[in-house]
Amino acid sequence: MLFLSTFVFAQKSKTANTVLAGGKPVHTYAKLPAVNKPAPQFTLTDVAMKDQTLESYKGKYMILNIFPSVDTGVCSASVRHFNEDAANIPNTVVLCISKDLPFAQKRFCGAEGIKNVVMLSDFRSDFGKTYGVEITDSAMKGLLSRAVVVIDPSGKIVYEEQVADMGNEPNYEAAIKAVKN
C-alpha cells in the first residue's frame, strides 16, 4: 500500500506543462526532455505495423515532429513541410509521431504523396508520457501535443520546442538549423 501511494504521488508530482488548444489551456504530462541530455528510449509502430525504436535511427539526426492527428490542418501541414525539407538534409530522418493508427498514417501519406518522412504511431506505447507530450485533460486527453525534438547522431537532444498554441505550426527553421549546426 505504501509503495502504491508513493508511486501515485511520484506520478502526480511530475512537472506538468500548459499549452493552448482552441485558445483554452490544456496540460501535458510533463515538460519536454531537456537539451544536451540523452534522448529517452522509445518504441513506436510504423505503417507496416513493425516496432521502431530510437536505436533504429542511431547515427542520424532525428527530427521528431510530434502532433495530435494527421487528420487536422496544422498537423498535416507540418508533415508536408517536413516532407519537403527532409529531402534536402543529409543524414537526417524526420519521424512524424501521433496517436493516429498506422493505417490512417499510411492512407494519408499515399493520398498526399509523402515519401520523405517516417510516420510512427504511439497508439500502443508510452512515448507521450516519456517525452512529456501526452495531453492529460480536456477533450484532447490522451492525444499528443504539438512539439518538435531534434536528436543528434549520438542520441543527444540538441533542440526542443513545445508549441505554445497547438493551433500554430512549429518553428521549422529553428529545427532545421539545429540539424545544420
Side-chain angles (χ1 to χ4, degrees), residues 21-95:
K24 295 181 180 171
V26 298
H27 300 93
T28 61
Y29 187 73
K31 295 196 180 296
L32 289 170
V35 171
N36 295 321
K37 299 288 184 186
Q41 295 296 319
F42 61 77
T43 300
L44 296 162
T45 306
D46 68 17
V47 297
M49 298 298 288
K50 294 184 179 165
D51 287 345
Q52 299 297 325
T53 66
L54 181 68
E55 294 299 312
S56 302
Y57 304 99
K58 191 172 183 175
K60 294 183 176 208
Y61 277 96
M62 291 172 256
I63 299 173
L64 280 54
N65 177 31
I66 306 162
F67 51 86
S69 174
V70 76
D71 286 325
T72 66
V74 177
C75 300
S76 60
S78 73
V79 172
R80 284 188 210 95
H81 196 286
F82 278 122
N83 182 62
E84 291 174 20
D85 289 346
N88 302 316
I89 308 171
N91 198 39
T92 302
V93 61
V94 177
L95 307 177

Side-chain angles (χ1 to χ4, degrees), residues 31-40 42 54 61-67 82 92-97 127 130-133 145-152 155-163 170-171 174-176 178-179:
K31 295 196 180 296
L32 289 170
V35 171
N36 295 321
K37 299 288 184 186
F42 61 77
L54 181 68
Y61 277 96
M62 291 172 256
I63 299 173
L64 280 54
N65 177 31
I66 306 162
F67 51 86
F82 278 122
T92 302
V93 61
V94 177
L95 307 177
C96 293
I97 303 167
F127 173 86
T130 301
Y131 276 74
V133 294
S145 65
R146 186 174 323 288
V148 175
V149 176
V150 178
I151 304 167
D152 75 7
K156 182 177 75 174
I157 296 174
V158 294
Y159 174 82
E160 57 90 352
E161 176 194 11
Q162 172 64 71
V163 179
N171 186 338
I176 299 304
V179 171

